[in-house]
Amino acid sequence: DMDLYLRAAGNALGLAALSVAPKILRAADALRAAGAKKALMTGSGSAMFAPFETAEEARSVAQRIKGDFACCGVHSPVPAGLEIMEETH
């Protein structure tokens, strides 16, 4: 259930990471401004991501922010590891 995930998902290191690297907030703001319901930080802040109901929604948001960041891609969970659907540098 995506709504439940969006309500529950978070990262305990978020505030600490923002104090050291405020650029993280720029990425989160860009994702939300482009249409993401929620932007989340991986681990200690090496990347930002946003979950979407469909790959089409994800591609649309990625196209809107492409060029603003060093790497922007659309990825999908797989049984083991990660499958790259599209990659833009």
Side-chain angles (χ1 to χ4, degrees):
D1 178 295
M2 181 64 79
D3 288 331
L4 177 60
Y5 175 77
L6 292 173
R7 284 194 308 272
N11 187 318
L13 293 175
L15 291 177
L18 282 172
S19 70
V20 178
K23 287 194 283 185
I24 294 169
L25 187 56
R26 181 175 162 256
D29 288 344
L31 283 165
R32 286 190 298 269
K37 292 178 183 173
K38 188 170 190 172
L40 298 159
M41 182 181 82
T42 62
S44 59
S46 62
M48 295 295 297
F49 71 96
F52 295 93
E53 295 274 355
T54 67
E56 291 78 25
E57 287 178 280
R59 283 188 197 98
S60 176
V61 167
Q63 283 298 322
R64 287 188 209 120
I65 64 173
K66 183 173 87 173
D68 292 342
F69 301 94
C71 182
C72 179
V74 176
H75 308 279
S76 177
V78 293
L82 180 79
E83 175 184 300
I84 298 175
M85 297 170 59
E86 291 179 27
E87 186 171 350
T88 306
H89 290 279

Coordinates of all heavy atoms in Angstrom, one line a residue:
D1 N 0.8 -1.2 0.0 CA 0.0 0.0 0.0 C 0.9 1.2 0.0 O 1.6 1.5 1.0 CB -0.9 -0.1 1.2 CG -1.8 1.1 1.4 OD1 -1.3 2.2 1.6 OD2 -3.0 0.9 1.3
M2 N 0.9 2.0 -1.1 CA 1.7 3.1 -1.3 C 1.5 4.2 -0.2 O 2.4 4.8 0.3 CB 1.6 3.7 -2.7 CG 2.5 4.9 -2.9 SD 4.3 4.5 -2.8 CE 4.6 3.8 -4.4
D3 N 0.2 4.5 0.1 CA -0.1 5.6 1.0 C 0.5 5.2 2.4 O 1.0 6.1 3.1 CB -1.6 5.8 1.1 CG -2.2 6.4 -0.1 OD1 -1.5 7.2 -0.7 OD2 -3.4 6.2 -0.4
L4 N 0.4 4.0 2.8 CA 0.9 3.6 4.1 C 2.5 3.7 4.1 O 3.1 4.3 5.0 CB 0.6 2.1 4.4 CG 1.1 1.6 5.7 CD1 0.7 2.4 6.9 CD2 0.7 0.1 5.9
Y5 N 3.1 3.3 3.0 CA 4.5 3.4 2.9 C 5.0 4.9 3.0 O 5.9 5.3 3.7 CB 5.0 2.8 1.5 CG 6.5 3.0 1.3 CD1 7.4 2.3 2.0 CD2 6.9 4.0 0.5 CE1 8.8 2.5 1.8 CE2 8.3 4.3 0.3 CZ 9.2 3.5 0.9 OH 10.5 3.7 0.8
L6 N 4.3 5.8 2.2 CA 4.6 7.2 2.2 C 4.4 7.8 3.6 O 5.2 8.7 4.0 CB 3.8 8.0 1.2 CG 4.1 7.6 -0.3 CD1 3.1 8.3 -1.2 CD2 5.5 8.0 -0.6
R7 N 3.4 7.4 4.4 CA 3.3 7.9 5.7 C 4.3 7.4 6.7 O 4.8 8.1 7.6 CB 1.9 7.5 6.3 CG 0.7 8.3 5.7 CD -0.5 8.2 6.5 NE -1.0 6.8 6.7 CZ -1.7 6.1 5.8 NH1 -2.1 6.6 4.7 NH2 -2.1 4.9 6.1
A8 N 4.8 6.2 6.5 CA 5.7 5.5 7.5 C 7.2 5.7 7.1 O 8.0 5.7 8.0 CB 5.4 4.0 7.5
A9 N 7.5 5.9 5.8 CA 8.9 6.0 5.4 C 9.6 7.2 5.9 O 9.0 8.3 5.9 CB 9.0 5.9 3.9
G10 N 10.8 7.1 6.3 CA 11.6 8.2 6.8 C 13.1 7.8 7.0 O 13.4 6.6 6.8
N11 N 13.9 8.7 7.4 CA 15.3 8.4 7.7 C 15.8 9.1 8.9 O 15.7 10.4 9.0 CB 16.2 8.8 6.5 CG 17.6 8.3 6.6 OD1 18.2 8.4 7.7 ND2 18.1 7.8 5.5
A12 N 16.2 8.4 9.9 CA 16.6 9.0 11.2 C 17.8 9.9 11.1 O 18.0 10.7 11.9 CB 16.8 7.9 12.2
L13 N 18.6 9.7 10.0 CA 19.8 10.5 9.8 C 19.5 11.8 9.1 O 20.4 12.6 8.8 CB 20.9 9.7 9.1 CG 21.5 8.5 9.9 CD1 22.4 7.7 9.0 CD2 22.2 9.0 11.1
G14 N 18.3 12.0 8.6 CA 18.0 13.1 7.8 C 18.4 14.5 8.3 O 19.1 15.2 7.6
L15 N 18.1 14.8 9.5 CA 18.4 16.1 10.0 C 20.0 16.3 10.2 O 20.5 17.3 9.9 CB 17.7 16.4 11.4 CG 16.2 16.6 11.2 CD1 15.6 16.8 12.6 CD2 15.9 17.8 10.4
A16 N 20.6 15.2 10.6 CA 22.1 15.3 10.8 C 22.7 15.5 9.4 O 23.7 16.3 9.3 CB 22.6 14.0 11.5
A17 N 22.3 14.7 8.4 CA 22.9 14.8 7.1 C 22.6 16.2 6.5 O 23.5 16.8 5.9 CB 22.3 13.8 6.2
L18 N 21.5 16.8 6.7 CA 21.2 18.1 6.2 C 22.1 19.2 6.8 O 22.5 20.2 6.2 CB 19.7 18.5 6.5 CG 18.7 17.9 5.5 CD1 17.3 18.2 6.0 CD2 18.9 18.4 4.1
S19 N 22.4 19.0 8.1 CA 23.3 20.0 8.7 C 24.7 20.0 8.2 O 25.4 21.0 8.2 CB 23.3 19.8 10.3 OG 24.1 18.6 10.5
V20 N 25.1 18.9 7.6 CA 26.5 18.7 7.0 C 26.4 19.0 5.5 O 27.4 19.6 5.0 CB 27.0 17.3 7.3 CG1 28.4 17.1 6.6 CG2 27.1 17.0 8.8
A21 N 25.4 18.6 4.9 CA 25.3 18.8 3.4 C 23.9 19.3 3.0 O 23.0 18.6 2.6 CB 25.5 17.4 2.7
P22 N 23.7 20.6 3.1 CA 22.4 21.2 2.8 C 21.9 21.0 1.3 O 20.8 21.1 1.1 CB 22.6 22.7 3.1 CG 24.0 22.9 3.5 CD 24.7 21.6 3.6
K23 N 22.8 20.6 0.5 CA 22.4 20.3 -0.9 C 21.4 19.1 -1.0 O 20.7 19.0 -2.0 CB 23.7 19.9 -1.8 CG 24.5 21.1 -2.1 CD 25.5 20.8 -3.2 CE 26.7 20.0 -2.7 NZ 27.7 19.7 -3.7
I24 N 21.4 18.3 0.0 CA 20.4 17.2 0.1 C 19.0 17.8 0.0 O 18.1 17.2 -0.7 CB 20.6 16.4 1.3 CG1 21.9 15.7 1.3 CG2 19.4 15.4 1.5 CD1 22.3 15.0 2.6
L25 N 18.8 18.9 0.7 CA 17.4 19.5 0.6 C 17.1 20.0 -0.8 O 15.9 19.9 -1.2 CB 17.4 20.7 1.6 CG 16.0 21.3 1.8 CD1 15.0 20.3 2.2 CD2 16.1 22.4 2.9
R26 N 18.1 20.5 -1.5 CA 17.8 20.9 -2.9 C 17.3 19.8 -3.8 O 16.3 19.9 -4.5 CB 19.1 21.4 -3.5 CG 19.0 21.9 -4.9 CD 20.3 22.6 -5.4 NE 20.2 22.7 -6.9 CZ 20.9 21.8 -7.7 NH1 21.7 21.0 -7.2 NH2 20.8 22.0 -9.0
A27 N 17.9 18.6 -3.6 CA 17.4 17.4 -4.3 C 16.0 17.0 -3.9 O 15.1 16.7 -4.8 CB 18.4 16.2 -4.1
A28 N 15.7 17.0 -2.6 CA 14.4 16.7 -2.1 C 13.3 17.7 -2.6 O 12.3 17.3 -3.1 CB 14.4 16.6 -0.6
D29 N 13.7 19.0 -2.6 CA 12.8 20.0 -3.1 C 12.5 19.8 -4.6 O 11.4 20.0 -5.1 CB 13.3 21.4 -2.8 CG 13.3 21.8 -1.4 OD1 12.6 21.1 -0.6 OD2 14.0 22.7 -1.0
A30 N 13.5 19.5 -5.4 CA 13.4 19.3 -6.8 C 12.5 18.1 -7.1 O 11.6 18.2 -8.0 CB 14.7 19.1 -7.5
L31 N 12.6 17.0 -6.4 CA 11.8 15.8 -6.6 C 10.3 16.2 -6.3 O 9.4 15.9 -7.1 CB 12.2 14.7 -5.7 CG 13.4 13.9 -6.2 CD1 14.0 13.0 -5.1 CD2 13.1 13.1 -7.4
R32 N 10.1 16.9 -5.2 CA 8.7 17.2 -4.8 C 8.1 18.2 -5.8 O 6.9 18.1 -6.2 CB 8.6 17.7 -3.4 CG 8.8 16.6 -2.3 CD 8.5 17.1 -0.9 NE 9.4 18.1 -0.5 CZ 10.5 17.9 0.1 NH1 10.9 16.7 0.4 NH2 11.3 18.9 0.5
A33 N 8.9 19.2 -6.2 CA 8.4 20.2 -7.1 C 8.1 19.6 -8.5 O 7.2 20.1 -9.2 CB 9.5 21.3 -7.3
A34 N 8.7 18.5 -8.8 CA 8.5 17.9 -10.1 C 7.3 16.9 -10.1 O 7.0 16.3 -11.1 CB 9.8 17.2 -10.6
G35 N 6.8 16.6 -8.9 CA 5.6 15.8 -8.8 C 5.7 14.6 -7.8 O 4.7 13.9 -7.7
A36 N 6.8 14.4 -7.2 CA 6.9 13.3 -6.2 C 6.1 13.6 -5.0 O 6.1 14.8 -4.5 CB 8.4 13.1 -5.8
K37 N 5.4 12.6 -4.4 CA 4.6 12.9 -3.2 C 5.5 13.0 -2.0 O 5.2 13.7 -1.0 CB 3.6 11.7 -3.0 CG 2.5 11.7 -4.0 CD 1.6 10.5 -3.8 CE 0.6 10.4 -4.9 NZ -0.2 9.2 -4.8
K38 N 6.7 12.3 -2.0 CA 7.6 12.3 -0.9 C 9.0 12.0 -1.4 O 9.2 11.2 -2.3 CB 7.2 11.3 0.1 CG 8.0 11.4 1.4 CD 7.4 10.4 2.5 CE 8.1 10.7 3.8 NZ 7.4 10.0 4.9
A39 N 10.0 12.8 -1.0 CA 11.4 12.5 -1.3 C 12.1 12.0 -0.1 O 11.9 12.5 1.0 CB 12.0 13.8 -1.8
L40 N 12.8 10.9 -0.3 CA 13.5 10.2 0.8 C 15.0 10.2 0.6 O 15.5 10.1 -0.5 CB 12.9 8.8 1.0 CG 11.4 8.8 1.3 CD1 10.8 7.4 1.0 CD2 11.2 9.1 2.8
M41 N 15.7 10.1 1.7 CA 17.2 10.0 1.6 C 17.6 8.6 1.8 O 17.1 7.9 2.7 CB 17.8 10.9 2.7 CG 19.2 11.0 2.7 SD 19.8 12.1 4.1 CE 19.7 10.9 5.5
T42 N 18.6 8.1 1.0 CA 19.1 6.8 1.3 C 20.1 6.9 2.4 O 20.8 7.9 2.6 CB 19.9 6.3 0.0 OG1 21.0 7.1 -0.3 CG2 18.9 6.1 -1.2
G43 N 20.3 5.8 3.2 CA 21.3 5.7 4.2 C 21.7 7.0 4.9 O 20.9 7.7 5.5
S44 N 22.9 7.4 4.7 CA 23.4 8.6 5.3 C 23.4 9.8 4.4 O 24.0 10.8 4.6 CB 24.9 8.4 5.8 OG 25.7 8.0 4.7
G45 N 22.7 9.7 3.3 CA 22.4 10.9 2.4 C 23.2 10.9 1.1 O 23.3 11.9 0.4
S46 N 23.7 9.7 0.6 CA 24.4 9.7 -0.6 C 23.5 9.9 -1.8 O 24.0 10.2 -2.9 CB 25.2 8.4 -0.7 OG 24.3 7.3 -0.8
A47 N 22.2 9.7 -1.6 CA 21.3 9.8 -2.7 C 19.9 10.1 -2.2 O 19.6 9.8 -1.0 CB 21.2 8.5 -3.6
M48 N 19.1 10.7 -3.1 CA 17.7 10.9 -2.8 C 16.9 10.1 -3.7 O 17.3 9.8 -4.8 CB 17.3 12.4 -3.0 CG 18.0 13.4 -2.0 SD 17.5 13.2 -0.3 CE 15.8 13.5 -0.3
F49 N 15.7 9.7 -3.3 CA 14.8 8.9 -4.1 C 13.4 9.2 -3.8 O 13.1 9.8 -2.7 CB 15.1 7.4 -4.0 CG 14.6 6.8 -2.7 CD1 13.4 6.2 -2.6 CD2 15.4 6.8 -1.6 CE1 13.0 5.6 -1.4 CE2 15.1 6.3 -0.4 CZ 13.8 5.6 -0.3
A50 N 12.5 8.9 -4.7 CA 11.0 9.1 -4.5 C 10.3 7.8 -5.0 O 10.6 7.4 -6.1 CB 10.5 10.3 -5.2
P51 N 9.4 7.2 -4.2 CA 8.7 6.1 -4.7 C 7.5 6.6 -5.6 O 6.9 7.7 -5.3 CB 8.2 5.4 -3.5 CG 8.2 6.5 -2.4 CD 9.2 7.5 -2.8
F52 N 7.1 5.8 -6.6 CA 6.0 6.2 -7.5 C 5.2 4.9 -7.7 O 5.7 3.8 -7.6 CB 6.5 6.7 -8.8 CG 7.2 8.0 -8.7 CD1 8.6 8.0 -8.6 CD2 6.5 9.2 -8.7 CE1 9.3 9.2 -8.5 CE2 7.2 10.4 -8.6 CZ 8.6 10.4 -8.5
E53 N 3.9 5.1 -8.0 CA 3.0 4.0 -8.3 C 3.3 3.4 -9.6 O 3.2 2.1 -9.7 CB 1.5 4.5 -8.3 CG 1.0 5.1 -7.0 CD 0.4 4.0 -6.1 OE1 0.3 2.8 -6.5 OE2 0.1 4.4 -5.0
T54 N 3.8 4.1 -10.6 CA 4.1 3.6 -11.9 C 5.4 4.1 -12.4 O 5.9 5.1 -12.0 CB 3.0 4.0 -12.9 OG1 3.1 5.4 -13.1 CG2 1.6 3.6 -12.4
A55 N 6.0 3.3 -13.3 CA 7.2 3.7 -13.9 C 7.0 5.0 -14.8 O 7.9 5.8 -14.9 CB 7.8 2.6 -14.8
E56 N 5.9 5.1 -15.3 CA 5.6 6.3 -16.1 C 5.7 7.6 -15.3 O 6.2 8.6 -15.7 CB 4.2 6.2 -16.8 CG 4.1 5.2 -17.9 CD 4.0 3.8 -17.4 OE1 3.5 3.6 -16.2 OE2 4.4 2.8 -18.0
E57 N 5.1 7.5 -14.1 CA 5.2 8.7 -13.2 C 6.7 9.0 -12.8 O 7.1 10.1 -12.9 CB 4.5 8.4 -11.9 CG 3.0 8.4 -11.9 CD 2.4 8.1 -10.6 OE1 2.4 6.9 -10.2 OE2 2.0 9.0 -9.8
A58 N 7.4 7.9 -12.6 CA 8.8 8.1 -12.2 C 9.6 8.7 -13.4 O 10.4 9.6 -13.2 CB 9.5 6.8 -11.9
R59 N 9.4 8.2 -14.6 CA 10.0 8.8 -15.8 C 9.7 10.2 -16.0 O 10.6 11.0 -16.4 CB 9.7 8.0 -17.0 CG 10.3 6.6 -17.2 CD 10.1 6.0 -18.5 NE 10.4 4.6 -18.4 CZ 9.5 3.6 -18.2 NH1 8.2 3.9 -18.1 NH2 9.9 2.4 -18.1
S60 N 8.5 10.6 -15.8 CA 8.0 12.0 -16.0 C 8.8 12.9 -15.0 O 9.3 14.0 -15.4 CB 6.5 12.1 -15.7 OG 6.1 13.4 -15.8
V61 N 8.9 12.5 -13.7 CA 9.6 13.3 -12.8 C 11.1 13.4 -13.1 O 11.7 14.4 -13.0 CB 9.3 12.8 -11.3 CG1 10.3 13.4 -10.3 CG2 7.9 13.1 -10.9
A62 N 11.7 12.2 -13.5 CA 13.1 12.2 -13.8 C 13.4 13.1 -15.0 O 14.4 13.8 -15.0 CB 13.5 10.8 -14.2
Q63 N 12.5 13.2 -16.0 CA 12.7 14.1 -17.1 C 12.6 15.5 -16.7 O 13.4 16.4 -17.2 CB 11.6 13.8 -18.2 CG 11.9 12.6 -19.0 CD 13.2 12.7 -19.8 OE1 13.6 13.7 -20.3 NE2 13.9 11.6 -19.9
R64 N 11.8 15.9 -15.7 CA 11.7 17.3 -15.3 C 12.9 17.7 -14.5 O 13.2 18.9 -14.6 CB 10.4 17.4 -14.4 CG 9.2 17.4 -15.2 CD 8.0 17.7 -14.3 NE 6.8 17.1 -14.9 CZ 6.1 16.2 -14.2 NH1 6.3 15.9 -13.0 NH2 5.1 15.6 -14.8
I65 N 13.6 16.8 -13.8 CA 14.8 17.3 -13.1 C 16.1 16.9 -13.7 O 17.2 17.2 -13.2 CB 14.7 16.8 -11.6 CG1 14.8 15.3 -11.5 CG2 13.5 17.3 -10.9 CD1 14.9 14.8 -10.1
K66 N 16.0 16.1 -14.8 CA 17.3 15.7 -15.5 C 18.1 17.0 -15.9 O 17.6 18.0 -16.3 CB 16.9 15.0 -16.8 CG 18.0 14.4 -17.6 CD 17.5 13.6 -18.7 CE 17.3 14.4 -20.0 NZ 16.9 13.6 -21.1
G67 N 19.4 16.9 -15.7 CA 20.2 18.0 -16.0 C 20.5 18.9 -14.7 O 21.5 19.6 -14.7
D68 N 19.7 18.8 -13.7 CA 19.9 19.5 -12.5 C 20.9 18.8 -11.5 O 21.3 19.4 -10.6 CB 18.6 19.8 -11.8 CG 17.7 20.7 -12.6 OD1 18.2 21.4 -13.5 OD2 16.5 20.7 -12.3
F69 N 21.1 17.5 -11.8 CA 21.9 16.7 -10.9 C 22.9 15.8 -11.6 O 22.6 15.5 -12.8 CB 21.0 15.9 -10.0 CG 20.1 16.8 -9.1 CD1 18.8 17.0 -9.6 CD2 20.5 17.3 -8.0 CE1 17.9 17.8 -8.9 CE2 19.6 18.1 -7.2 CZ 18.4 18.4 -7.7
A70 N 23.9 15.4 -11.0 CA 25.0 14.6 -11.7 C 24.4 13.3 -12.2 O 24.8 12.9 -13.3 CB 26.1 14.3 -10.7
C71 N 23.5 12.7 -11.5 CA 22.9 11.4 -12.0 C 21.4 11.4 -11.6 O 21.0 11.7 -10.5 CB 23.6 10.3 -11.4 SG 23.0 8.7 -11.9
C72 N 20.6 11.0 -12.6 CA 19.2 10.9 -12.3 C 18.7 9.7 -13.1 O 18.9 9.6 -14.3 CB 18.5 12.2 -12.8 SG 16.7 12.2 -12.6
G73 N 18.0 8.8 -12.5 CA 17.5 7.6 -13.2 C 16.2 7.1 -12.6 O 15.8 7.6 -11.6
V74 N 15.7 6.1 -13.3 CA 14.4 5.5 -12.9 C 14.8 4.0 -12.6 O 15.4 3.4 -13.4 CB 13.4 5.5 -14.0 CG1 12.2 4.7 -13.6 CG2 13.0 7.0 -14.3
H75 N 14.5 3.6 -11.4 CA 14.9 2.3 -11.0 C 13.7 1.5 -10.4 O 12.8 2.2 -9.9 CB 16.0 2.3 -9.9 CG 17.2 3.2 -10.3 ND1 18.2 2.7 -11.2 CD2 17.4 4.5 -10.1 CE1 19.0 3.7 -11.4 NE2 18.6 4.8 -10.8
S76 N 13.8 0.2 -10.4 CA 12.7 -0.6 -10.0 C 13.2 -1.7 -9.1 O 14.2 -2.2 -9.3 CB 12.0 -1.2 -11.2 OG 10.9 -2.1 -10.8
P77 N 12.4 -2.0 -8.0 CA 12.9 -3.1 -7.1 C 12.8 -4.4 -7.8 O 11.9 -4.6 -8.7 CB 11.9 -3.0 -5.9 CG 10.7 -2.3 -6.4 CD 11.2 -1.4 -7.5
V78 N 13.7 -5.3 -7.6 CA 13.8 -6.6 -8.1 C 14.0 -7.6 -7.0 O 14.4 -7.2 -5.9 CB 14.9 -6.8 -9.2 CG1 14.5 -5.9 -10.5 CG2 16.2 -6.4 -8.7
P79 N 13.8 -8.9 -7.2 CA 14.0 -9.9 -6.1 C 15.4 -9.8 -5.4 O 15.5 -10.0 -4.2 CB 13.8 -11.2 -6.8 CG 12.9 -10.9 -8.0 CD 13.3 -9.6 -8.4
A80 N 16.4 -9.6 -6.2 CA 17.7 -9.5 -5.6 C 18.5 -8.4 -6.4 O 18.5 -8.4 -7.6 CB 18.5 -10.8 -5.7
G81 N 19.1 -7.4 -5.7 CA 19.9 -6.4 -6.3 C 19.0 -5.3 -6.8 O 18.0 -5.0 -6.3
L82 N 19.4 -4.7 -8.0 CA 18.7 -3.6 -8.5 C 18.8 -3.7 -10.1 O 19.8 -4.1 -10.6 CB 19.4 -2.3 -8.1 CG 18.9 -1.0 -8.6 CD1 17.6 -0.6 -7.8 CD2 19.9 0.1 -8.5
E83 N 17.7 -3.4 -10.7 CA 17.6 -3.4 -12.2 C 17.5 -1.9 -12.6 O 16.6 -1.2 -12.2 CB 16.4 -4.2 -12.6 CG 16.2 -4.2 -14.1 CD 14.9 -4.9 -14.4 OE1 14.9 -6.1 -14.2 OE2 14.0 -4.3 -15.0
I84 N 18.4 -1.5 -13.5 CA 18.3 -0.1 -14.0 C 17.4 -0.1 -15.2 O 17.7 -0.7 -16.2 CB 19.7 0.5 -14.3 CG1 20.6 0.5 -13.0 CG2 19.6 1.8 -14.9 CD1 22.0 0.9 -13.2
M85 N 16.3 0.7 -15.1 CA 15.4 0.8 -16.2 C 15.9 1.8 -17.2 O 15.8 1.6 -18.4 CB 14.0 1.1 -15.7 CG 13.4 0.0 -14.8 SD 11.9 0.5 -14.0 CE 10.9 0.9 -15.3
E86 N 16.3 3.0 -16.7 CA 16.8 4.1 -17.5 C 17.9 4.7 -16.7 O 17.8 4.8 -15.5 CB 15.7 5.1 -17.8 CG 14.7 4.6 -18.7 CD 13.6 5.6 -19.0 OE1 13.9 6.8 -18.9 OE2 12.5 5.2 -19.2
E87 N 18.9 5.3 -17.4 CA 19.9 6.0 -16.7 C 20.3 7.3 -17.5 O 20.4 7.2 -18.7 CB 21.2 5.2 -16.5 CG 22.2 5.8 -15.6 CD 23.3 4.9 -15.3 OE1 23.2 3.7 -15.6 OE2 24.3 5.4 -14.8
T88 N 20.3 8.4 -16.8 CA 20.6 9.6 -17.4 C 21.8 10.3 -16.7 O 21.7 10.4 -15.5 CB 19.4 10.6 -17.4 OG1 18.3 9.9 -18.0 CG2 19.7 11.8 -18.2
H89 N 22.8 10.7 -17.4 CA 23.9 11.4 -16.7 C 24.0 12.8 -17.2 O 23.7 13.1 -18.3 CB 25.3 10.7 -17.0 CG 25.4 9.4 -16.3 ND1 25.7 9.3 -15.0 CD2 25.1 8.1 -16.7 CE1 25.7 8.0 -14.6 NE2 25.4 7.3 -15.7

